[in-house]
Amino acid sequence: MAETYRGRLMHVQPVLADEVYAFFQNCYHLKDWLLNDPASASAAADVEKFISRTPSLALCADLANGSKHLTLTRSRRHAEGTPSLATTRFKGRVEPGGIMVSAQFEVSAGDQTLDAYALAVDCWEAWNAYLEAKGLITVRVVPPYVPPRG
């Protein structure tokens, strides 16, 4: 409790990076749900090929597996190295309800660098298209926030 009164340095960057990694892990592992759910298993029999053919989801798979196992032993992208996150912009400000913190991340994968949120939106859209084409959803779900590109 003394630290609460004296103050302490809050390390929010690792927490925010964990949230980004968690998105990519859950996004990739949607395939497991589809394959194990009797309602979707037969329709999703080609889901592994779909992920490997879709650049955003292949990178998502590599991020998920690399962050889960520390190193990537088999890449969906047929590229060397484990993709990683790097913070590109980190901001904080005091507001009446507390401290507002935002961060932007880049995904580095070999010679490719992508905005992590743009990659997440691409993955979201790829899954929507796949699920719609398989008749597993009838209405596309839009991401809660899409930042302007460029």
Side-chain angles (χ1 to χ4, degrees):
M1 190 162 160
E3 287 182 9
T4 300
Y5 284 89
R6 275 196 310 262
R8 69 180 123 185
L9 183 60
M10 300 298 291
H11 298 283
V12 296
Q13 185 175 356
V15 171
L16 296 175
D18 285 347
E19 288 181 5
V20 176
Y21 277 122
F23 170 83
F24 289 111
Q25 290 166 354
N26 287 303
C27 181
Y28 171 60
H29 289 294
L30 173 60
K31 67 159 183 111
D32 294 325
W33 185 279
L34 293 171
L35 291 171
N36 288 307
D37 185 344
S40 59
S42 63
D46 67 340
V47 71
E48 297 288 353
K49 289 179 185 173
F50 167 71
I51 291 169
S52 293
R53 286 192 319 257
T54 308
S56 60
L57 289 176
L59 181 52
C60 174
D62 286 356
L63 270 169
N65 286 322
S67 65
K68 180 179 175 186
H69 300 289
L70 185 60
T71 58
L72 192 61
T73 56
R74 189 178 43 152
S75 173
R76 292 265 185 168
R77 298 169 301 111
H78 307 293
E80 294 297 319
T82 302
S84 62
L85 291 180
T87 308
T88 58
R89 194 164 94 188
F90 190 68
K91 295 190 307 187
R93 65 180 182 274
V94 177
E95 293 195 354
I99 298 173
M100 175 66 71
V101 177
S102 66
Q104 291 180 337
F105 292 89
E106 283 183 346
V107 174
S108 298
D111 60 351
Q112 189 178 27
T113 302
L114 302 163
D115 177 75
Y117 195 85
L119 175 62
V121 169
D122 289 346
C123 291
W124 185 294
E125 290 172 352
W127 273 124
N128 266 294
Y130 178 81
L131 295 171
E132 189 176 54
K134 297 293 181 175
L136 297 171
I137 61 171
T138 56
V139 177
R140 283 186 177 226
V141 180
V142 296
Y145 166 73
V146 178
R149 293 193 187 226

